Amino acid sequence: MSDLLKNVDSRTNLVGKNRLELLTFRLKGSQLFAINVFKVQEVQEVQKVPRFACLPKSNPVVVGVTTVRGETIAVIDLSLAVGRSAIPLDGDAVIIVTEYNRSLQAFVVGSVDGIVNLNWDEVMPPPAASGRDNFLTAITRVDGKIVEIIDVEKVLATVVHFDTRVSKELLEQDILEYSQGMEVLLVDDSRMAIEQASATLRELGLKVIVEMDGLKALRRLQQWRDEGIDVGKKLLMVITDAEMPEMDGYSLTTEIRKDPALKDLFVVLHTSLSGSFNHAMVKKVGCDGFLSKFQPDKMAEEVQARVKTIMLQ
């Protein structure tokens, strides 16, 4: 299993080039699912993992806790979490250890298939008919087979409560009064992430305009430009996820910086990807800031700092 991820660090060369790598796996049955390799820390066979300890009164999808690299982490049955039947732990199941929002968690899956390298423009949003309650952010095809990309942020939201409220002591009333009704373009492929970030932004009195992939966001910006709108004055900022179908947030930022009419937009990367690598990429592609999901206080601080800058101009 270690051979599967031995070259995982090479994925950093893909970011900023509108490319990604997916770890594909099965839950129960033949359907392929996937998550971004960038979120994966390691993959282990369940039988080789320290015995899971049960957590009284825990969410039913949490099958226990275990230790990985000396850290205690929750183990989530991904099949149960997306509304399917439980995966037997006494068979060939594996756990995928991931890092989201600065924390580690493990997902039990039936088997791991492999790693595939794709362009983001090969990744499409899920069909509209799939409804708002599905656990997918996107779909793609690999060797003629449909691969469903899991919305891990939505899965985690069913297990861990994320508070969208801003601490009252952080709010500066003069800034909030000045910023009432200002517009923010929020770009994210996860409905759960959109709901959470929008709730925080609206608490700050902002109007939230949403697009669910980088290409649609770029086209909207270009449409405003072509209509003669001063986009830099229209938008307080653009807040964009990193991973999205058709065009990722890094490529979106690069395209914004290349356009004379858009290049001065204030762009903040808002992602569940963690680590110093993101800060390096923020600088490389020209983002103005970086926010980890889901931290309403940090978002409020970023917004108020931007408003304060405008007030002083």
Side-chain angles (χ1 to χ4, degrees):
M1 196 63 67
S2 61
D3 290 342
L4 180 65
L5 296 175
K6 66 181 179 181
N7 295 320
V8 74
D9 287 340
S10 66
R11 68 190 184 272
T12 58
N13 295 322
L14 304 177
V15 179
K17 300 178 181 178
N18 212 40
R19 296 185 63 81
L20 79 159
E21 283 184 325
L22 295 175
L23 177 67
T24 59
F25 55 88
R26 290 176 169 83
L27 298 176
K28 298 181 72 176
S30 61
Q31 176 61 48
L32 281 173
F33 297 88
I35 59 174
N36 196 321
V37 169
F38 201 82
K39 305 285 184 68
V40 177
Q41 296 289 310
E42 61 183 279
V43 177
Q44 296 186 26
E45 297 173 12
V46 166
Q47 300 301 321
K48 297 181 179 179
V49 176
R51 183 181 178 86
F52 300 160
C54 293
L55 286 176
K57 298 183 180 180
S58 63
N59 189 294
V61 306
V62 178
V63 296
V65 296
T66 190
T67 55
V68 175
R69 300 178 185 178
E71 186 168 350
T72 302
I73 62 174
V75 182
I76 299 166
D77 185 322
L78 191 53
S79 183
L80 276 177
V82 300
R84 300 182 172 219
S85 58
I87 295 173
L89 299 180
D90 56 355
D92 297 323
V94 299
I95 65 167
I96 303 173
V97 180
T98 64
E99 182 179 4
Y100 283 81
N101 307 327
R102 300 163 291 112
S103 66
L104 292 179
Q105 53 284 134
F107 295 103
V108 177
V109 301
S111 63
V112 167
D113 194 71
I115 292 176
V116 295
N117 189 313
L118 299 169
N119 289 316
W120 270 112
D121 58 14
E122 299 175 71
V123 180
M124 299 292 112
S130 60
R132 293 179 56 86
D133 294 329
N134 71 76
F135 284 86
L136 305 180
T137 58
I139 60 172
T140 189
R141 284 185 179 271
V142 176
D143 297 330
K145 300 176 181 177
I146 292 178
V147 178
E148 301 182 348
I149 302 174
I150 297 287
D151 185 348
V152 178
E153 289 160 0
K154 182 169 183 176
V155 171
L156 292 176
T158 67
V159 179
V160 180
H161 173 68
F162 293 108
D163 194 346
T164 63
R165 293 172 297 181
V166 179
S167 299
K168 297 303 181 184
E169 61 270 18
L170 289 178
L171 299 177
E172 301 182 45
Q173 291 304 316
D174 58 333
I175 294 177
L176 292 180
E177 291 173 7
Y178 186 87
S179 64
Q180 289 297 302
M182 285 186 171
E183 296 179 328
V184 171
L185 178 60
L186 175 63
V187 193
D188 204 302
D189 62 336
S190 168
R191 292 188 183 279
M192 184 59 62
I194 289 170
E195 290 173 7
Q196 292 173 330
S198 295
T200 298
L201 292 168
R202 290 185 182 119
E203 185 179 350
L204 299 172
L206 303 176
K207 178 181 177 182
V208 183
I209 304 165
V210 173
E211 291 292 353
M212 294 190 70
D213 68 63
L215 185 57
K216 288 187 178 69
L218 180 62
R219 287 173 176 167
R220 182 182 282 248
L221 292 170
Q222 292 169 336
Q223 178 184 344
W224 286 333
R225 175 203 64 193
D226 294 343
E227 291 172 351
I229 295 172
D230 187 333
V231 185
K233 291 183 178 179
K234 176 180 177 61
L235 295 178
L236 175 65
M237 62 176 61
V238 176
I239 300 177
T240 178
D241 189 17
E243 305 173 81
M244 293 178 290
E246 300 202 69
M247 178 181 286
D248 65 27
Y250 302 110
S251 298
L252 170 61
T253 306
T254 299
E255 292 300 315
I256 288 172
R257 297 299 179 230
K258 287 163 50 176
D259 189 319
L262 304 175
K263 64 182 178 64
D264 294 327
L265 282 171
F266 193 88
V267 182
V268 176
L269 192 71
H270 182 232
T271 174
S272 54
L273 298 175
S274 304
S276 59
F277 172 76
N278 261 299
H279 293 280
M281 284 305 304
V282 163
K283 184 176 181 180
K284 178 180 177 181
V285 301
C287 290
D288 297 286
F290 170 77
L291 287 171
S292 292
K293 300 175 182 176
F294 294 97
Q295 300 184 77
D297 284 355
K298 293 293 185 182
M299 180 172 284
E301 290 173 351
E302 186 77 52
V303 167
Q304 290 184 134
R306 174 60 180 157
V307 174
K308 187 178 293 185
T309 299
I310 295 173
M311 292 172 65
L312 295 174
Q313 289 177 348

